[in-house]
Amino acid sequence: MNQDEQRRKKQPNPLVLAVMLTGVLLLEVHPKVTSSASAVSNPMAIAGQLVRNTRNLLRQTIDPYRLPDAVIQAVQQDLSLKLGMSPSELSITEYSLESQPLECQDNSDPTVDCTETSLKQWRIVVADRWVYRSDPQGQTLQLETPDVPVSYLPTEVANAVLEASARRSGLDIAELSITQIQVRDWSNLCLEVDESGQKCDSETTPGWQIAIAAGNERLVYHVDRAGEVLLFNSALSSTLDPLEQPPLPEGLVTLVKADLIKTVGISPDQLQVAEYSPQTWRDSCLGLLNSQAVCDRNPVKGWRIVLSNGDTRWVYRTDATGKTLGLETSISEHRDPKN
């Protein structure tokens, strides 16, 4: 073997050398990058962690406006816990990096750097519906849109709330309607319902706030995620004043019935309008998750129309003219109160 061949064999692989040099530079700029690997005694594991961290940092340096994986995972995990769904079902449909102005007047918070004029935040939209705000690392999350459709409420939770409302109001379940659902993180085991003499341990409890229309009453309940703890909120509940609603356009009824007949194959003679109310939807897709259209984010005036055949209630959303309409959910009207 000649001297040139011996020198070539002694020289390191160019790819390995590049990784080593990148690691050295990375350690000079980001000394904490190996913190997660410092406890690992296996040199190959440390090298692998270094390469992964290097790749992630370089990727964010090249494209600082790309949503970090840590933020995606944090948002999906938080919403999956709130809704009881798999994170894989909650895709990110929109995101942007935004600057929020800092208010540093009389600010005593030592963690806020008032030499900066703005704070970077991610705005993340999940499944074209839920809007989150996050710090750049995904450590602080805020859900801005807690309202969810009836179809996202677990059946056992809906049954529990409707049965409790029926007992309280003296009405049949068929006469009740769920009007609003919000996902909530209650701050204690009493679900933030203040009852005299009640001792509550401070523990974050995922759950729901649910409003029920029961005749001329609005009943509000705080519920845990499984529907096992259900507490009546008398402060938010109230007696409703009779609404002087504008008449529902007959043409809309015809369009909605025609759509339902095509969808489920039911006879039009079996359908009646059980209830209706004017609504202002948040976008041109009427807030429907099953819409495949590109949604204009401007509010749209329209209607919420409930059709019934005595066994099932179908909840529709429409715009003012019926040009855009969609089925929100269907609800069985016959529930066994013993379940």
Side-chain angles (χ1 to χ4, degrees):
M1 182 181 297
N2 58 38
Q3 292 183 349
D4 290 340
E5 290 177 342
Q6 290 178 347
R7 279 197 301 270
R8 281 196 298 271
K9 291 193 68 177
K10 291 180 179 179
Q11 289 175 350
N13 183 290
L15 178 59
V16 174
L17 181 61
V19 171
M20 292 172 63
L21 291 174
T22 303
V24 171
L25 293 173
L26 180 66
L27 286 172
E28 292 180 359
V29 180
H30 299 281
K32 295 182 180 180
V33 74
T34 57
S35 61
S36 61
S38 61
V40 181
S41 59
N42 186 340
M44 293 304 296
I46 295 175
Q49 183 67 45
L50 180 62
V51 171
R52 285 191 294 273
N53 288 340
T54 302
R55 183 171 59 245
N56 289 337
L57 281 171
L58 289 175
R59 182 178 61 188
Q60 292 180 28
T61 302
I62 294 170
D63 183 8
Y65 300 104
R66 181 187 182 278
L67 187 63
D69 293 340
V71 178
I72 296 174
Q73 293 170 6
V75 168
Q76 289 178 328
Q77 185 67 23
D78 184 78
L79 191 57
S80 72
L81 289 173
K82 285 179 167 60
L83 299 178
M85 300 172 59
S86 169
S88 61
E89 300 179 67
L90 301 168
S91 58
I92 307 297
T93 53
E94 181 184 332
Y95 66 86
S96 58
L97 187 60
E98 300 179 351
S99 297
Q100 300 293 329
L102 281 177
E103 297 182 3
C104 289
Q105 297 86 353
D106 301 324
N107 183 20
S108 59
D109 187 350
T111 64
V112 177
D113 182 8
C114 287
T115 62
E116 299 288 340
T117 59
S118 63
L119 176 69
K120 295 293 185 182
Q121 280 190 329
W122 289 106
R123 180 183 182 273
I124 306 113
V125 181
V126 185
D128 285 322
R129 181 176 190 92
W130 291 283
V131 179
Y132 271 87
R133 296 278 180 179
S134 168
D135 67 297
Q137 293 78 34
Q139 296 176 349
T140 304
L141 301 176
Q142 179 184 358
L143 177 61
E144 291 190 344
T145 51
D147 287 7
V148 300
V150 174
S151 55
Y152 276 82
L153 189 66
T155 302
E156 58 272 18
V157 178
N159 287 345
V161 175
L162 288 170
E163 289 160 11
S165 300
R167 289 192 297 269
R168 179 173 288 274
S169 65
L171 300 174
D172 293 332
I173 287 180
E175 300 177 79
L176 306 175
S177 177
I178 298 175
T179 59
Q180 186 183 41
I181 304 168
Q182 291 186 340
V183 290
R184 297 292 299 269
D185 283 329
W186 306 116
S187 62
N188 56 41
L189 296 180
C190 298
L191 312 185
E192 299 181 17
V193 174
D194 185 15
E195 295 184 359
S196 178
Q198 190 177 30
K199 182 180 179 181
C200 298
D201 292 331
S202 296
E203 181 178 327
T204 300
T205 306
W208 314 85
Q209 179 175 297
I210 304 172
I212 305 289
N216 67 337
E217 292 184 289
R218 178 178 185 264
L219 309 178
V220 178
Y221 288 89
H222 293 195
V223 192
D224 70 348
R225 188 168 59 196
E228 296 174 352
V229 179
L230 186 149
L231 299 173
F232 179 67
N233 187 326
S234 58
L236 292 181
S237 301
S238 61
T239 301
L240 302 176
D241 295 328
L243 296 177
E244 294 184 3
Q245 294 188 143
L248 180 64
E250 190 61 36
L252 276 181
V253 177
T254 301
L255 290 171
V256 170
K257 284 186 177 181
D259 186 83
L260 186 59
I261 291 166
K262 182 174 64 175
T263 302
V264 302
I266 193 171
S267 169
D269 297 335
Q270 297 177 274
L271 295 173
Q272 300 292 331
V273 176
E275 61 181 89
Y276 66 91
S277 60
Q279 300 285 334
T280 299
W281 308 114
R282 63 184 178 86
D283 56 38
S284 62
C285 295
L286 315 181
L288 292 169
L289 297 181
N290 58 357
S291 173
Q292 301 300 316
V294 177
C295 302
D296 185 341
R297 299 297 178 183
N298 293 322
V300 173
K301 290 188 178 298
W303 298 84
R304 182 178 184 269
I305 304 172
V306 181
L307 298 178
S308 172
N309 68 345
D311 294 321
T312 305
R313 293 157 67 91
W314 292 272
V315 182
Y316 266 85
R317 298 183 181 189
T318 81
D319 63 3
T321 63
K323 182 179 180 180
T324 302
L325 57 83
L327 182 63
E328 176 185 307
T329 188
S330 59
I331 308 169
S332 174
E333 293 190 309
H334 295 295
R335 297 182 174 90
D336 185 353
K338 296 180 181 180
N339 291 334

